[in-house]
Amino acid sequence: MTRYAEFHRRSITDRDGFWREQAALIDWQRPFDQVCDYSHPPFARWFVGGQTNLCHNAVDRHLQDRAEQNALIFVSSETGEEEVYSFRELHAEVQRMAAVLQSLGVKQGDRVLVYMPMIPQAAFAMLACVRIGAIHSVVFGGFASVSLASRIDDAQPTVIVSADAGSRASKVVAYKPLLDEAIRLAEWKPAKVLLVDRRMAPMERVAGRDEDHAALRQQHIDAQVPCVWVDATHPSYTLYTSGTTGRPKGVQRDTGGYAVALAASMKHIFLGQPGETYFSTSDIGWVVGHSYIVYGPLIAGMATIMYEGLPIRPDAGIWWSLVEKYQVTAMFSAPTAVRVLKKQDPKYLHQYDLSSLRALFLAGEPLDETTAKWIADGLGRPVIDNYWQTETGWPILAIANGIEPLPSKFGSPGFAMYGYDIKLLDEHTGEELTGANQKGVVVIEGPLPPGCMQTVWRDDARFVKTYWHSVPGKMVYTTFDWGIRDEDGYYFILGRTDDVINVAGHRLGTREIEESISSHPNVAEVAVVGVADQLKGQVAMAFVVAKDASGLTDAAARMKLEGEIMKTVDEQLGGVARPSRVHFVGVLPKTRSGKLLRRAIQAVCEQRDPGDLTTIEDPSALQQIKDLVCA
Ligand code: AMP
């Protein structure tokens, strides 16, 4: 058995002993009495009785040894801003923000919704929340009013922290009008809205509700706000993610388990050392941003880079210039970003000194071999694919080079990470597939390891119903992904089993997009499917039956309606969810019992065999789609 295989085996067979050791990587105010309470499966309570604080572990505990070292590096290639905060300065800013939030009435257990571009105040707000035991809920800045409103209603925040605008490709993206519209749509009304004014877009203020961040910060410039010690099981944040049903789920994370899981992953997987610099190109609106822009690197005593902008502006060398300038040792990005870079002149990969970089980690979507090879060869550094989900908070599959450097295989994110007891189940019988190269549903036997979701926010029943089922004697969590394991134990992920699609690493529910499209007055019926795309991995494609198709006889009329539908999605959900095409059809392919044949539509769009169609009601419906997409 290899060293890693033994490490993994122990994490399962001596679970408590294993995690007790990992727990020593963080500071505890009060030691825990029990490592894992799994007396009410599938609910796992980690480090029961222990008290700690995420902000203390990310910031305060480093003041003794590295107060003057870089902690947060903010670079915006959009505005030209570049700011570096040492741990001492970060500590001061977080306390100011904590005092501001307290002055607005935020107390332990309250929710604070963060709807922000990639600016330091977003990280200050997150850290300030966990400092005072408030629960943050970051909503990706690319989401628009309807998405935001549903999250406001679910999270019921006391305060929303936002800004006037972000910027993308030098275009100002105003946040405030979208936020105002979302608050208007939502049933829940936040008491206060705290606004960071970057002076990029005009903001209308609502008297009595909207507060100016800069003014309040000034009032609390000398604030000293101690960390509130919370139970290890106290929720640190919720983060919404898409699933099969239209309503997004609030993934709820604990405090102690998450801190331990991140500290362990920084050591074993990401090889992060205190004093070094970590650069994750994600966004704080996604789970990677939570775990590996904000918390993971800081917990490890590393500086973290927060980057606002595209990978190719001002040119395709921008990221590598930051690697050189800040001596980045580990970088984390997504395959789509690498595919964008791959379209640029390769000279940019060789213009900077990248000798500090030990590895590039990629996650969020399948990594194709060409992309992996191109970047691995270009950088001359290992590229480590890792597979996980918003729900798990840290990698399920990867290579734990900190334990044992094992070779990667192209197309595989690697092995089951320690703590994850992974099984592949037969789709039909539900039985475990133990042989090599058999395709099954990837499941994790409970309990989920520390750092994974505790439950669905305010909906334990939905957590159980959505993710868990019983197989004799145990409960298993489904990832909703297909996978295979080869004879050497490497896993390969083959796509989702549900109606979730992955556009440029962004997870979207096709049902959410369908709901939005249906709200257009001339849409009778719609089907949205994910279609393979060379650059983005997948794109959303919509097929619409119009209520009144009489005007759709010419291409110009169809284009006009297509544009209107795209605008509806932009305004309601945001540009990330916009379908790449909207096609108009007379009828959608359905089974005789009325079920939409999404998988058959997807197969036809990808020019694959649609499979068994014996239950289809009207075969011409699929033919019509074929004619459209192959035209
Ligand atoms: P999210 O919750 O947004 O991180 O999306 C999680 C989903 O993205 C997973 O269930 C997979 O379908 C997909 N995914 C994430 N990482 C990978 C990877 N390395 N390889 C293949 N698919 C991935």
Coordinates of all heavy atoms in Angstrom, one line a residue, residues 292-373:
Y292 N -10.7 29.1 -1.0 CA -9.3 29.3 -1.5 C -9.0 30.7 -2.0 O -7.9 30.9 -2.5 CB -8.9 28.2 -2.4 CG -9.1 26.8 -1.7 CD1 -10.0 25.9 -2.1 CD2 -8.2 26.5 -0.7 CE1 -10.2 24.7 -1.4 CE2 -8.4 25.3 0.0 CZ -9.4 24.4 -0.4 OH -9.5 23.3 0.3
I293 N -9.9 31.7 -1.8 CA -9.4 33.1 -1.9 C -9.3 33.6 -0.4 O -8.3 34.1 0.0 CB -10.3 34.0 -2.7 CG1 -10.2 33.6 -4.2 CG2 -9.8 35.5 -2.6 CD1 -11.2 34.4 -5.1
V294 N -10.4 33.4 0.3 CA -10.5 34.0 1.6 C -9.9 33.1 2.7 O -8.8 33.4 3.3 CB -11.9 34.5 1.9 CG1 -11.9 35.2 3.3 CG2 -12.4 35.5 0.9
Y295 N -10.6 32.0 3.0 CA -10.3 31.4 4.3 C -9.0 30.5 4.3 O -8.2 30.5 5.2 CB -11.5 30.6 4.8 CG -12.6 31.5 5.2 CD1 -13.8 31.5 4.5 CD2 -12.5 32.4 6.3 CE1 -14.8 32.4 4.9 CE2 -13.5 33.2 6.6 CZ -14.7 33.2 5.9 OH -15.7 34.1 6.3
G296 N -8.9 29.6 3.2 CA -7.8 28.6 3.3 C -6.5 29.2 3.3 O -5.7 28.9 4.3
P297 N -6.1 30.1 2.4 CA -4.8 30.7 2.4 C -4.5 31.5 3.7 O -3.4 31.3 4.3 CB -4.8 31.6 1.2 CG -5.8 31.1 0.3 CD -6.9 30.5 1.2
L298 N -5.5 32.2 4.1 CA -5.3 33.0 5.4 C -5.1 32.1 6.6 O -4.2 32.4 7.4 CB -6.4 34.0 5.6 CG -6.5 35.2 4.5 CD1 -7.7 36.0 4.8 CD2 -5.2 36.1 4.5
I299 N -5.9 31.1 6.7 CA -5.7 30.2 7.8 C -4.3 29.6 7.8 O -3.7 29.4 8.8 CB -6.8 29.1 7.7 CG1 -8.2 29.6 8.1 CG2 -6.4 27.9 8.6 CD1 -9.3 28.7 8.0
A300 N -3.8 29.4 6.6 CA -2.4 28.8 6.5 C -1.4 29.9 6.7 O -0.2 29.6 6.5 CB -2.3 28.2 5.1
G301 N -1.7 31.1 6.9 CA -0.7 32.2 7.1 C -0.1 32.7 5.8 O 1.0 33.3 5.8
M302 N -0.8 32.5 4.7 CA -0.3 32.9 3.4 C -1.0 34.2 3.0 O -2.1 34.6 3.5 CB -0.7 31.9 2.3 CG -0.1 30.5 2.6 SD -0.7 29.3 1.3 CE 0.4 29.7 0.0
A303 N -0.3 34.9 2.1 CA -1.0 36.1 1.5 C -1.9 35.5 0.4 O -1.6 34.5 -0.3 CB 0.1 37.0 0.9
T304 N -3.0 36.2 0.2 CA -3.9 35.7 -0.9 C -4.2 36.9 -1.9 O -4.3 38.0 -1.4 CB -5.2 35.2 -0.3 OG1 -6.0 34.7 -1.3 CG2 -6.0 36.2 0.5
I305 N -4.2 36.6 -3.1 CA -4.5 37.6 -4.1 C -6.0 37.6 -4.5 O -6.5 36.5 -4.8 CB -3.6 37.4 -5.4 CG1 -2.1 37.5 -5.0 CG2 -4.0 38.4 -6.5 CD1 -1.2 37.3 -6.2
M306 N -6.5 38.8 -4.5 CA -7.9 39.0 -4.9 C -7.9 39.8 -6.2 O -7.4 40.9 -6.2 CB -8.6 39.8 -3.9 CG -10.0 39.4 -3.6 SD -10.6 40.4 -2.2 CE -12.3 40.3 -2.6
Y307 N -8.3 39.2 -7.3 CA -8.1 39.8 -8.6 C -9.4 40.1 -9.3 O -10.3 39.2 -9.5 CB -7.3 38.8 -9.5 CG -7.1 39.2 -10.9 CD1 -6.2 40.2 -11.2 CD2 -7.9 38.7 -11.9 CE1 -6.1 40.7 -12.6 CE2 -7.8 39.1 -13.3 CZ -6.8 40.1 -13.6 OH -6.7 40.5 -14.9
E308 N -9.6 41.4 -9.6 CA -10.8 41.8 -10.4 C -10.4 42.0 -11.8 O -9.5 42.9 -12.1 CB -11.4 43.1 -9.9 CG -12.6 43.6 -10.6 CD -13.1 44.9 -10.2 OE1 -12.4 45.9 -10.1 OE2 -14.4 45.0 -9.9
G309 N -10.9 41.3 -12.7 CA -10.6 41.5 -14.1 C -10.6 40.2 -14.9 O -10.9 39.1 -14.4
L310 N -10.2 40.3 -16.2 CA -10.2 39.1 -17.1 C -8.7 38.6 -17.1 O -7.8 39.3 -16.8 CB -10.6 39.5 -18.5 CG -12.0 40.1 -18.6 CD1 -12.3 40.5 -20.1 CD2 -13.1 39.1 -18.1
P311 N -8.6 37.4 -17.6 CA -7.2 36.8 -17.7 C -6.4 37.4 -18.8 O -5.2 37.2 -18.9 CB -7.4 35.3 -17.8 CG -8.8 35.1 -18.2 CD -9.6 36.3 -17.8
I312 N -7.1 38.1 -19.7 CA -6.4 38.5 -21.0 C -6.4 40.0 -21.1 O -6.1 40.6 -22.2 CB -7.1 37.9 -22.2 CG1 -8.6 38.1 -22.1 CG2 -6.8 36.4 -22.3 CD1 -9.3 37.9 -23.4
R313 N -6.6 40.8 -20.0 CA -6.5 42.2 -20.1 C -5.6 42.8 -19.0 O -5.8 42.3 -17.9 CB -7.9 42.9 -20.0 CG -8.8 42.7 -21.2 CD -10.2 43.1 -20.9 NE -10.3 44.5 -21.0 CZ -10.8 45.2 -22.0 NH1 -11.2 44.5 -23.0 NH2 -10.9 46.5 -22.0
P314 N -4.7 43.7 -19.2 CA -4.4 44.3 -20.5 C -3.9 43.3 -21.5 O -4.0 43.6 -22.7 CB -3.4 45.4 -20.1 CG -2.8 44.9 -18.8 CD -3.9 44.2 -18.1
D315 N -3.3 42.2 -21.1 CA -2.9 41.2 -22.1 C -2.9 39.9 -21.4 O -3.1 39.8 -20.2 CB -1.5 41.5 -22.8 CG -0.4 41.6 -21.8 OD1 -0.3 40.7 -20.9 OD2 0.4 42.5 -21.8
A316 N -2.6 38.8 -22.1 CA -2.7 37.5 -21.6 C -1.6 37.1 -20.6 O -1.4 36.0 -20.1 CB -2.8 36.4 -22.7
G317 N -0.7 38.1 -20.3 CA 0.4 37.9 -19.4 C 0.0 38.4 -18.0 O 0.8 38.2 -17.0
I318 N -1.1 39.0 -17.8 CA -1.4 39.6 -16.5 C -1.3 38.7 -15.3 O -0.7 39.0 -14.3 CB -2.8 40.4 -16.5 CG1 -3.2 40.9 -15.2 CG2 -3.9 39.5 -17.0 CD1 -2.4 42.1 -14.8
W319 N -1.8 37.5 -15.4 CA -1.8 36.6 -14.2 C -0.3 36.2 -13.9 O 0.1 36.1 -12.8 CB -2.6 35.3 -14.5 CG -4.1 35.6 -14.3 CD1 -4.7 36.7 -14.0 CD2 -5.1 34.6 -14.5 NE1 -6.0 36.6 -14.0 CE2 -6.3 35.3 -14.3 CE3 -5.2 33.3 -14.9 CZ2 -7.6 34.7 -14.4 CZ3 -6.4 32.6 -15.0 CH2 -7.6 33.3 -14.8
W320 N 0.4 35.9 -15.0 CA 1.8 35.5 -14.8 C 2.7 36.6 -14.3 O 3.6 36.4 -13.5 CB 2.4 34.9 -16.1 CG 1.4 34.0 -16.8 CD1 0.8 34.1 -18.0 CD2 0.7 32.8 -16.2 NE1 -0.1 33.1 -18.2 CE2 -0.2 32.3 -17.1 CE3 0.9 32.2 -14.9 CZ2 -1.0 31.2 -16.9 CZ3 0.1 31.1 -14.7 CH2 -0.8 30.6 -15.6
S321 N 2.3 37.9 -14.6 CA 3.0 39.0 -14.1 C 2.8 39.1 -12.6 O 3.7 39.4 -11.8 CB 2.6 40.3 -14.7 OG 1.4 40.7 -14.3
L322 N 1.6 38.7 -12.1 CA 1.3 38.7 -10.7 C 2.1 37.5 -10.0 O 2.5 37.7 -8.8 CB -0.2 38.6 -10.4 CG -1.0 39.8 -10.9 CD1 -2.5 39.5 -10.7 CD2 -0.6 41.1 -10.2
V323 N 2.2 36.4 -10.7 CA 2.9 35.3 -10.1 C 4.4 35.8 -9.8 O 4.9 35.5 -8.8 CB 2.9 34.1 -11.0 CG1 3.9 33.0 -10.6 CG2 1.5 33.5 -11.1
E324 N 4.9 36.4 -10.8 CA 6.3 36.9 -10.7 C 6.4 38.0 -9.6 O 7.3 37.9 -8.7 CB 6.8 37.5 -12.0 CG 8.3 38.1 -11.9 CD 8.7 38.7 -13.2 OE1 9.1 38.0 -14.1 OE2 8.8 40.0 -13.2
K325 N 5.5 38.9 -9.6 CA 5.6 40.1 -8.7 C 5.4 39.7 -7.3 O 6.2 40.1 -6.4 CB 4.6 41.1 -9.1 CG 4.6 42.3 -8.2 CD 3.8 43.5 -8.8 CE 3.9 44.7 -7.9 NZ 3.0 45.7 -8.4
Y326 N 4.5 38.8 -7.0 CA 4.2 38.4 -5.6 C 4.7 37.0 -5.3 O 4.4 36.5 -4.2 CB 2.7 38.5 -5.4 CG 2.2 40.0 -5.4 CD1 1.5 40.4 -6.5 CD2 2.5 40.9 -4.4 CE1 1.1 41.7 -6.6 CE2 2.1 42.2 -4.5 CZ 1.4 42.6 -5.6 OH 1.0 43.9 -5.6
Q327 N 5.6 36.5 -6.1 CA 6.2 35.2 -5.8 C 5.1 34.1 -5.4 O 5.3 33.5 -4.4 CB 7.2 35.4 -4.7 CG 8.4 36.3 -5.1 CD 9.3 35.5 -6.1 OE1 10.0 34.6 -5.8 NE2 9.2 35.9 -7.4
V328 N 4.1 34.0 -6.3 CA 3.1 33.1 -6.0 C 3.6 31.7 -6.0 O 4.3 31.3 -6.9 CB 1.9 33.2 -7.1 CG1 0.9 32.1 -7.0 CG2 1.3 34.6 -6.9
T329 N 3.2 30.9 -5.0 CA 3.7 29.5 -5.0 C 2.6 28.5 -5.4 O 3.0 27.4 -6.0 CB 4.2 29.1 -3.6 OG1 3.1 29.3 -2.6 CG2 5.4 29.8 -3.2
A330 N 1.4 28.8 -5.2 CA 0.3 28.0 -5.7 C -0.8 28.8 -6.3 O -1.1 29.8 -5.8 CB -0.3 27.2 -4.5
M331 N -1.3 28.3 -7.4 CA -2.3 29.0 -8.2 C -3.5 28.1 -8.4 O -3.3 26.9 -8.5 CB -1.7 29.4 -9.5 CG -2.4 30.6 -10.1 SD -1.4 31.2 -11.5 CE -2.8 31.9 -12.4
F332 N -4.7 28.6 -8.4 CA -5.9 27.9 -8.5 C -6.8 28.5 -9.5 O -7.1 29.7 -9.4 CB -6.6 27.8 -7.1 CG -7.7 26.8 -7.0 CD1 -7.8 26.0 -5.9 CD2 -8.7 26.7 -8.0 CE1 -8.8 25.1 -5.8 CE2 -9.7 25.7 -7.9 CZ -9.8 24.9 -6.7
S333 N -7.2 27.8 -10.6 CA -8.0 28.4 -11.6 C -9.0 27.4 -12.1 O -9.2 26.3 -11.6 CB -7.2 29.0 -12.7 OG -7.9 29.9 -13.5
A334 N -9.6 27.7 -13.3 CA -10.6 26.8 -13.8 C -10.2 26.5 -15.3 O -9.6 27.3 -16.0 CB -12.0 27.4 -13.8
P335 N -10.6 25.3 -15.8 CA -10.2 25.0 -17.2 C -10.6 26.0 -18.2 O -9.9 26.3 -19.1 CB -10.9 23.6 -17.4 CG -11.0 23.0 -16.0 CD -11.2 24.2 -15.1
T336 N -11.8 26.6 -18.0 CA -12.3 27.6 -19.0 C -11.3 28.7 -19.1 O -11.0 29.2 -20.2 CB -13.6 28.1 -18.6 OG1 -14.6 27.1 -18.7 CG2 -14.1 29.3 -19.6
A337 N -10.8 29.2 -18.0 CA -9.8 30.3 -18.0 C -8.6 29.9 -18.8 O -8.0 30.7 -19.6 CB -9.4 30.7 -16.6
V338 N -8.1 28.6 -18.6 CA -6.9 28.2 -19.4 C -7.3 28.1 -20.9 O -6.4 28.4 -21.7 CB -6.4 26.8 -18.8 CG1 -5.3 26.3 -19.6 CG2 -6.1 27.0 -17.3
R339 N -8.5 27.7 -21.2 CA -8.8 27.6 -22.6 C -8.9 29.0 -23.2 O -8.6 29.2 -24.4 CB -10.2 26.9 -22.8 CG -10.0 25.4 -22.5 CD -11.3 24.6 -23.0 NE -12.4 24.8 -22.1 CZ -12.8 24.1 -21.1 NH1 -12.1 22.9 -20.9 NH2 -13.8 24.4 -20.4
V340 N -9.3 30.0 -22.4 CA -9.2 31.4 -22.9 C -7.8 31.8 -23.2 O -7.5 32.3 -24.2 CB -9.9 32.3 -21.9 CG1 -9.6 33.8 -22.3 CG2 -11.4 32.1 -21.8
L341 N -6.9 31.4 -22.3 CA -5.5 31.8 -22.5 C -4.9 31.1 -23.6 O -4.0 31.6 -24.3 CB -4.7 31.5 -21.2 CG -5.0 32.3 -20.0 CD1 -4.3 31.8 -18.7 CD2 -4.6 33.8 -20.2
K342 N -5.3 29.9 -23.8 CA -4.8 29.0 -24.9 C -5.0 29.6 -26.3 O -4.3 29.3 -27.3 CB -5.4 27.6 -24.8 CG -4.8 26.6 -25.6 CD -5.2 25.2 -25.0 CE -5.8 24.3 -26.1 NZ -7.2 24.0 -26.1
K343 N -6.0 30.5 -26.4 CA -6.3 31.1 -27.7 C -5.4 32.3 -27.9 O -5.4 32.9 -29.0 CB -7.8 31.6 -27.7 CG -8.8 30.5 -27.7 CD -10.2 31.0 -27.7 CE -10.9 30.6 -28.9 NZ -12.2 31.3 -29.0
Q344 N -4.6 32.7 -26.9 CA -3.7 33.8 -27.1 C -2.3 33.4 -27.4 O -2.0 32.2 -27.4 CB -3.7 34.6 -25.7 CG -5.0 34.9 -25.1 CD -5.7 36.0 -25.9 OE1 -5.1 37.0 -26.3 NE2 -7.0 35.8 -26.1
D345 N -1.5 34.3 -27.8 CA -0.1 34.0 -28.1 C 0.6 33.3 -27.0 O 0.6 33.9 -25.8 CB 0.6 35.4 -28.4 CG 1.9 35.2 -29.1 OD1 2.6 34.2 -28.8 OD2 2.3 36.1 -29.9
P346 N 1.2 32.2 -27.2 CA 1.9 31.5 -26.1 C 3.0 32.2 -25.5 O 3.5 31.9 -24.4 CB 2.3 30.1 -26.7 CG 2.1 30.3 -28.2 CD 1.2 31.4 -28.5
K347 N 3.5 33.3 -26.2 CA 4.7 34.0 -25.7 C 4.4 34.5 -24.3 O 5.4 34.7 -23.5 CB 5.0 35.2 -26.6 CG 4.1 36.3 -26.6 CD 4.6 37.5 -27.4 CE 3.6 38.7 -27.1 NZ 3.5 39.7 -28.1
Y348 N 3.1 34.8 -23.9 CA 2.9 35.4 -22.6 C 3.2 34.4 -21.5 O 3.4 34.9 -20.3 CB 1.4 35.8 -22.5 CG 1.0 36.9 -23.4 CD1 0.2 36.8 -24.6 CD2 1.6 38.2 -23.2 CE1 0.0 37.8 -25.4 CE2 1.3 39.3 -24.0 CZ 0.5 39.1 -25.1 OH 0.2 40.1 -25.9
L349 N 3.2 33.2 -21.8 CA 3.6 32.2 -20.7 C 5.1 32.3 -20.4 O 5.5 31.8 -19.4 CB 3.3 30.8 -21.2 CG 1.8 30.3 -21.0 CD1 1.7 28.9 -21.6 CD2 1.4 30.3 -19.6
H350 N 5.9 32.9 -21.3 CA 7.3 32.8 -21.1 C 7.9 34.2 -20.8 O 9.1 34.3 -20.8 CB 8.0 32.2 -22.4 CG 7.3 30.9 -22.7 ND1 7.4 29.8 -21.9 CD2 6.5 30.5 -23.7 CE1 6.7 28.8 -22.5 NE2 6.2 29.2 -23.6
Q351 N 7.1 35.2 -20.6 CA 7.6 36.5 -20.4 C 8.0 36.8 -18.9 O 8.6 37.8 -18.7 CB 6.6 37.5 -20.8 CG 6.6 37.9 -22.3 CD 5.6 38.9 -22.7 OE1 4.6 39.1 -22.0 NE2 5.8 39.5 -23.8
Y352 N 7.6 36.0 -18.0 CA 7.8 36.2 -16.6 C 8.5 35.1 -15.9 O 8.4 34.0 -16.4 CB 6.4 36.5 -15.9 CG 5.7 37.7 -16.6 CD1 4.8 37.5 -17.6 CD2 6.0 39.0 -16.1 CE1 4.2 38.6 -18.2 CE2 5.4 40.1 -16.7 CZ 4.5 39.9 -17.7 OH 3.9 41.0 -18.3
D353 N 9.1 35.4 -14.8 CA 9.8 34.4 -14.1 C 8.8 33.7 -13.2 O 8.2 34.3 -12.2 CB 10.9 35.1 -13.2 CG 11.6 34.1 -12.3 OD1 11.3 32.9 -12.4 OD2 12.4 34.6 -11.4
L354 N 8.5 32.5 -13.5 CA 7.5 31.7 -12.8 C 8.1 30.7 -11.8 O 7.5 29.7 -11.4 CB 6.5 31.0 -13.8 CG 5.9 31.9 -14.8 CD1 5.0 31.1 -15.7 CD2 5.1 33.0 -14.2
S355 N 9.4 30.9 -11.5 CA 10.1 29.9 -10.7 C 9.5 29.7 -9.3 O 9.7 28.6 -8.7 CB 11.6 30.2 -10.7 OG 11.8 31.5 -10.1
S356 N 8.8 30.7 -8.8 CA 8.2 30.5 -7.5 C 7.1 29.5 -7.5 O 6.8 28.8 -6.5 CB 7.7 31.8 -6.9 OG 6.7 32.3 -7.8
L357 N 6.4 29.3 -8.6 CA 5.2 28.5 -8.7 C 5.5 27.0 -8.6 O 6.3 26.5 -9.3 CB 4.5 28.8 -10.1 CG 3.1 28.3 -10.2 CD1 2.1 29.1 -9.2 CD2 2.6 28.6 -11.6
R358 N 4.8 26.4 -7.7 CA 5.0 24.9 -7.5 C 4.0 24.1 -8.3 O 4.3 23.1 -8.8 CB 4.9 24.5 -6.0 CG 6.2 24.8 -5.2 CD 6.2 24.0 -3.9 NE 5.2 24.6 -3.0 CZ 5.5 25.5 -2.1 NH1 6.8 25.9 -1.9 NH2 4.6 26.0 -1.3
A359 N 2.8 24.6 -8.4 CA 1.7 23.9 -9.1 C 0.6 24.8 -9.4 O 0.3 25.8 -8.8 CB 1.2 22.7 -8.2
L360 N -0.2 24.3 -10.4 CA -1.4 25.0 -10.8 C -2.5 24.0 -10.5 O -2.5 22.9 -11.0 CB -1.4 25.4 -12.3 CG -2.7 25.9 -12.9 CD1 -3.1 27.2 -12.3 CD2 -2.6 26.0 -14.4
F361 N -3.5 24.4 -9.7 CA -4.7 23.6 -9.4 C -5.8 24.0 -10.3 O -6.1 25.3 -10.4 CB -5.0 23.7 -7.9 CG -3.9 23.2 -7.1 CD1 -2.9 24.0 -6.6 CD2 -3.8 21.9 -6.7 CE1 -1.8 23.6 -5.9 CE2 -2.8 21.4 -5.9 CZ -1.8 22.3 -5.5
L362 N -6.5 23.1 -10.9 CA -7.7 23.5 -11.7 C -8.9 22.7 -11.2 O -8.8 21.5 -10.9 CB -7.5 23.1 -13.1 CG -6.3 24.0 -13.8 CD1 -6.1 23.4 -15.2 CD2 -6.7 25.4 -13.9
A363 N -10.1 23.3 -11.1 CA -11.3 22.7 -10.7 C -12.5 23.3 -11.2 O -12.4 24.4 -11.8 CB -11.3 22.6 -9.2
G364 N -13.6 22.7 -11.0 CA -14.9 23.3 -11.3 C -15.6 22.7 -12.5 O -16.8 22.9 -12.6
E365 N -14.9 22.1 -13.3 CA -15.5 21.5 -14.5 C -14.5 20.5 -15.1 O -13.3 20.5 -14.7 CB -15.7 22.6 -15.6 CG -14.5 23.4 -15.9 CD -14.6 24.5 -16.9 OE1 -15.2 24.2 -17.9 OE2 -14.1 25.6 -16.6
P366 N -14.9 19.6 -16.0 CA -14.0 18.6 -16.5 C -12.8 19.3 -17.2 O -12.9 20.3 -17.9 CB -14.8 17.8 -17.5 CG -16.2 18.0 -17.1 CD -16.3 19.4 -16.5
L367 N -11.6 18.7 -16.9 CA -10.4 19.3 -17.5 C -10.0 18.3 -18.7 O -9.7 17.2 -18.5 CB -9.3 19.3 -16.5 CG -7.9 19.6 -17.0 CD1 -7.8 21.0 -17.6 CD2 -6.9 19.5 -15.8
D368 N -10.1 18.9 -19.9 CA -9.7 18.0 -21.1 C -8.2 18.0 -21.2 O -7.5 18.8 -20.8 CB -10.4 18.6 -22.3 CG -10.0 20.0 -22.6 OD1 -10.5 20.9 -21.9 OD2 -9.1 20.2 -23.5
E369 N -7.8 16.9 -21.9 CA -6.4 16.5 -22.0 C -5.6 17.6 -22.7 O -4.5 18.0 -22.3 CB -6.3 15.2 -22.7 CG -4.9 14.6 -22.6 CD -4.8 13.2 -23.0 OE1 -5.8 12.5 -22.8 OE2 -3.7 12.7 -23.4
T370 N -6.2 18.1 -23.8 CA -5.4 19.1 -24.6 C -5.1 20.4 -23.7 O -4.0 20.9 -23.8 CB -6.3 19.6 -25.8 OG1 -7.3 18.7 -26.0 CG2 -5.5 19.9 -27.0
T371 N -6.1 20.8 -23.0 CA -6.0 22.0 -22.2 C -4.9 21.7 -21.1 O -4.0 22.5 -20.8 CB -7.3 22.4 -21.5 OG1 -8.2 22.6 -22.6 CG2 -7.2 23.7 -20.7
A372 N -5.1 20.6 -20.4 CA -4.2 20.2 -19.3 C -2.7 20.1 -19.9 O -1.8 20.7 -19.2 CB -4.6 18.9 -18.8
K373 N -2.5 19.5 -21.0 CA -1.2 19.4 -21.6 C -0.6 20.7 -22.0 O 0.6 21.0 -21.7 CB -1.2 18.5 -22.8 CG -1.2 17.0 -22.5 CD -0.5 16.2 -23.6 CE -0.2 14.8 -23.2 NZ -1.2 13.8 -23.8

